[in-house]
Amino acid sequence: MNEGEAEPMVTDVPEEGRLVVNQAGHIAELVYRAEPGRLILVHTAVPPELEGRGIGVALVRASIARAAAQGLTVVPWCPFARRWLRAHPDAARGVAVDWTPP
């Protein structure tokens, strides 16, 4: 995402277990599984048309915000989310992270 560019709007669709960004008719998503006390990040998918815009990061940040709001532990099984959270530990400050692999 470029400086001055707005953060993509992320929508939580809990009945489908996913966070989505819809831009120009293309949908990016982070699939999650909510369990008692845990939010498992399963898979992040960003179509080629939306790559390079920070959408994957926005989806991971939204999952962290959801976990924080609900007092959940984040469990990053998704390779993208796992890599990004390891590289940006401050992004998950105040939220427990369970690094146990799937």
Side-chain angles (χ1 to χ4, degrees), residues 18-35:
R18 64 191 190 128
L19 297 160
V20 298
V21 170
N22 186 342
Q23 286 189 353
H26 301 285
I27 296 178
E29 67 179 0
L30 187 153
V31 177
Y32 64 81
R33 195 165 76 213
E35 295 182 351

Side-chain angles (χ1 to χ4, degrees), residues 20-64:
V20 298
V21 170
N22 186 342
Q23 286 189 353
H26 301 285
I27 296 178
E29 67 179 0
L30 187 153
V31 177
Y32 64 81
R33 195 165 76 213
E35 295 182 351
R38 297 162 37 107
L39 185 66
I40 301 170
L41 310 183
V42 178
H43 178 70
T44 303
V46 177
E49 296 84 358
L50 299 180
E51 288 179 355
R53 300 181 189 185
I55 292 173
V57 171
L59 290 164
V60 174
R61 286 186 188 273
S63 71
I64 298 299

Side-chain angles (χ1 to χ4, degrees), residues 50-93:
L50 299 180
E51 288 179 355
R53 300 181 189 185
I55 292 173
V57 171
L59 290 164
V60 174
R61 286 186 188 273
S63 71
I64 298 299
R66 183 182 196 272
Q70 297 179 352
L72 303 174
T73 296
V74 172
V75 186
W77 288 355
C78 165
F80 172 80
R82 194 173 187 85
R83 270 191 318 274
W84 192 84
L85 286 167
R86 284 208 188 272
H88 301 89
D90 287 351
R93 183 175 298 149

